[in-house]
Amino acid sequence: MSSTQSRTLRAATANDIPALEALIRRSALALSEPYYTHEQTEALTRLVFGVDSQLITDKTYLLIESNNEFLACGGWSKRRTLFGGDKLKSSADPLLDPTTEPARIRAFFVRPDMARHGLASQLMAECIMQARSAAFSALELASTLPGEPLYLARGFEAVERFQLRLDDAIQVPLTRMRRTI
């Protein structure tokens, strides 16, 4: 795809899943805790965050690597699921209609020591380009609190705030966001 300063952006493959899962966990635990309690962060990491293998099959889940180390991952989807990895899915994931529905931005995670180095912005630019090429004119996502500043800076607007109920007593605030492309 593209390369910047020995960093390569490419589509993730099934072989990448174990390393992606490790990156997602590391990123979530380190970057979520200033915004969420330890219990909320643990529940999100255990029950929600993770690879959605459908995105890998669709070749819409991307990663940035350098020297065989994964620095960031994230993608877009032409399918109905708004957020969550395989462990959250319970049924088929039908295709969206690009003429009437927004594509989804999904599962952006950055290695904690690489946060705020433009990696998520690079992934977002690639996702926008690919979603446009697939005839979508809008994007939608469910953002965690740590993700909101990135998405707001990239032109997304908050359209709904809601609570995701995890376990019996744990609720996590999320924000549905949208933008045109």
Side-chain angles (χ1 to χ4, degrees):
M1 291 197 151
S2 66
S3 186
T4 306
Q5 299 175 353
S6 76
R7 293 182 186 153
T8 302
L9 188 155
R10 65 171 174 86
T13 68
N15 291 336
D16 298 323
I17 291 174
L20 288 168
E21 291 286 356
L23 170 64
I24 289 167
R25 181 167 177 73
R26 183 175 171 197
S27 175
L29 291 174
L31 301 177
S32 293
E33 293 231 2
Y35 297 88
Y36 295 127
T37 67
H38 178 75
E39 292 76 20
Q40 288 172 313
T41 299
E42 279 294 328
L44 278 169
T45 303
R46 183 171 33 85
L47 301 171
V48 179
F49 295 155
V51 172
D52 180 339
S53 57
Q54 183 65 60
L55 300 181
I56 290 177
T57 299
D58 290 344
K59 298 185 181 350
T60 61
Y61 200 59
L62 310 171
L63 64 88
I64 297 174
E65 64 184 335
S66 179
N67 300 319
N68 295 319
E69 290 187 35
F70 293 179
L71 306 179
C73 57
W76 71 279
S77 180
K78 54 188 170 183
R79 298 189 181 270
R80 193 151 319 280
T81 297
L82 186 60
F83 64 90
D86 287 343
K87 54 192 162 192
L88 196 62
K89 285 189 171 183
S90 61
S91 61
D93 199 358
L95 292 169
L96 297 164
D97 177 354
T99 64
T100 61
E101 297 175 291
R104 310 299 196 221
I105 292 296
R106 302 281 309 280
F108 272 52
F109 295 93
V110 177
R111 201 170 80 182
D113 63 325
M114 295 302 295
R116 291 165 200 50
H117 285 108
L119 299 173
S121 294
Q122 184 181 354
L123 287 168
M124 182 63 72
E126 183 70 20
C127 289
I128 290 170
M129 185 185 75
Q130 289 184 17
R132 270 193 196 126
S133 294
F136 285 94
S137 60
L139 299 171
E140 187 173 73
L141 59 88
S143 178
T144 58
L145 296 179
E148 275 192 45
L150 166 71
Y151 301 126
L152 289 168
R154 298 295 162 263
F156 284 83
E157 295 180 358
V159 295
E160 175 191 15
R161 297 194 186 280
F162 63 99
Q163 297 285 326
L164 177 64
R165 182 176 292 282
L166 302 172
D167 289 339
D168 289 331
I170 299 172
Q171 292 189 45
V172 179
L174 299 177
T175 305
R176 182 182 292 260
M177 303 180 85
R178 187 174 287 171
R179 73 161 278 186
T180 58
I181 55 173

